[in-house]
Amino acid sequence: METRTIGTDDGDGHLELHSFGPAAGQILPAGNSGGQPGVVVIHGTLVTDALYRPFAMKIARLLGRPVHTYNRRGRGGSSGQREDYSVATEISDLRDVMRATGSTDVVAHSFGGFVALQAARTESLRRLVTYDAAVSLSGSLSRRWRPELEHSMAAGQLDHAWAHLVQGLETAGPVSKLPLGALRMLSILSARTRLGAEMRQLLPTAVAEMRAVLDADAELADFAGVATPTLMLSGGWSPAYFAETGRQLAAAVPSIDFALVPGQLHEGPLRPGHRLALTTARFLADDASLRFQRIRTAGNPLANRLGWAREGNPRT
């Protein structure tokens, strides 16, 4: 792994970047063997890019291409979130990372998927894969926003804030269904772990990022100009609203396909296993020998819009 810091277009910011080269013996050729352009992975909220490094390394090995992760603002060795922070900040930062790494493709999770899809409206991306992209369509995520989250943060009640965030977004699986009191106790207990303590420290960034999602609420027509071949994935065990967003966008935008990945939770990219990395790599490689591989969709026919799950090629 190579670590470096790059500057941002705003002149006074910087981003911590981590790069992973392909190992010998790649199993999924992607065309030309040398000088392959890179892939950028954008992480979600309440985490740093450190949790995505195993996922990035799998994609690098499968594609035989360099893969790069970076800490978005407010975490790791990157600059803090500015007062005027918005999705425009994230799009500009992504542009800087792609330029610095010579990357053409993007893989993005949750809030990162929101950033990537917004970027695809104006930026030139070769291919894009999102997993559980947190896009708000016609106010679809406004009901997920809990004003109590912001109030708790302002009062310094981090356990209350964490409980409202988890219950509102429902991204913690069955845990999200627990009463607020139980979630607050779980927050207190998890704060004793390294990951739990880190999540508490990142709560202020989560508030700003959720605000950015709601401020960028869009209509389906706003994505009509997206020309980047895009695969929107959702976990079979993820909250259903992620899949619904993917289905709507895939039905409305010719360049977008959608598929469910069975047996995956919202934190799929952070967990062991190869299915999600392989699905991602297949799409980025556009390897003809793999186009007829079935991606089983847990019995959901709407997910079969992806060409690999039917008798034909995926759209390119």
Side-chain angles (χ1 to χ4, degrees):
M1 181 181 75
E2 176 189 357
T3 302
R4 57 181 165 139
T5 300
I6 63 170
T8 56
D9 279 346
D10 56 22
D12 59 356
H14 59 271
L15 300 169
E16 183 181 39
L17 175 69
H18 301 98
S19 301
F20 307 89
Q26 66 196 60
I27 67 171
L28 185 58
N32 299 326
S33 58
Q36 286 290 321
V39 179
V40 173
V41 175
I42 314 176
H43 66 75
T45 197
L46 277 187
V47 291
T48 70
D49 78 328
L51 296 180
Y52 293 77
R53 292 172 193 172
F55 181 60
M57 287 188 282
K58 290 173 191 173
I59 296 172
R61 288 194 296 267
L62 289 167
L63 288 175
R65 294 167 57 186
V67 177
H68 312 275
T69 67
Y70 67 101
N71 274 316
R72 295 191 292 98
R73 299 196 185 214
R75 64 210 80 208
S78 296
S79 298
Q81 290 178 338
R82 295 162 48 117
E83 288 295 324
D84 60 351
Y85 171 83
S86 70
V87 67
T89 309
E90 296 283 1
I91 293 172
S92 178
D93 287 350
L94 173 60
R95 186 190 309 122
D96 292 336
V97 171
M98 295 184 72
R99 182 172 60 238
T101 59
S103 296
T104 58
D105 298 348
V106 174
V107 178
H109 176 219
S110 196
F111 179 84
F114 157 72
V115 172
L117 283 165
Q118 293 292 336
R121 294 170 59 183
T122 57
E123 305 296 314
S124 178
L125 311 179
R126 192 191 73 92
R127 281 187 169 244
L128 168 62
V129 179
T130 70
Y131 183 84
D132 282 356
V135 177
S136 184
L137 295 174
S138 304
S140 61
L141 292 189
S142 60
R143 67 182 70 96
R144 300 284 168 184
W145 175 251
R146 299 283 183 87
E148 297 90 343
L149 167 60
E150 234 168 345
H151 299 157
S152 298
M153 285 297 302
Q157 299 172 330
L158 299 185
D159 298 315
H160 288 71
W162 187 87
H164 284 295
L165 181 68
V166 169
Q167 197 175 73
L169 295 181
E170 298 184 6
T171 51
V175 171
S176 302
K177 304 294 186 182
L178 292 174
L180 283 174
L183 287 172
R184 288 195 295 270
M185 181 58 65
L186 184 59
S187 176
I188 293 171
L189 295 174
S190 67
R192 300 174 183 175
T193 67
R194 182 191 60 80
L195 182 58
E198 185 176 78
M199 292 177 68
R200 286 166 65 95
Q201 291 177 348
L202 292 173
L203 273 170
T205 67
V207 173
E209 288 163 6
M210 190 64 183
R211 277 293 178 195
V213 170
L214 298 180
D215 289 345
D217 185 77
E219 303 295 328
L220 286 172
D222 294 323
F223 293 91
V226 172
T228 299
T230 299
L231 173 59
M232 295 186 68
L233 299 172
S234 186
W237 295 339
S238 295
Y241 63 87
F242 289 116
E244 181 58 26
T245 297
R247 292 188 188 104
Q248 289 183 44
L249 283 167
V253 183
S255 63
I256 297 178
D257 278 303
F258 169 75
L260 281 176
V261 184
Q264 295 289 321
L265 294 162
H266 176 68
E267 63 269 25
L270 313 182
R271 287 181 169 266
H274 295 276
R275 173 180 287 176
L276 188 55
L278 183 57
T279 302
T280 298
R282 282 172 174 160
F283 184 78
L284 295 182
D286 189 27
D287 191 300
S289 67
L290 295 167
R291 287 179 179 174
F292 298 101
Q293 294 285 342
R294 289 189 61 84
I295 296 180
R296 300 192 182 278
T297 57
N300 192 325
L302 287 175
N304 283 323
R305 293 198 64 232
L306 177 61
W308 302 322
R310 61 171 183 248
E311 294 295 323
N313 293 339
R315 293 187 300 234
T316 56

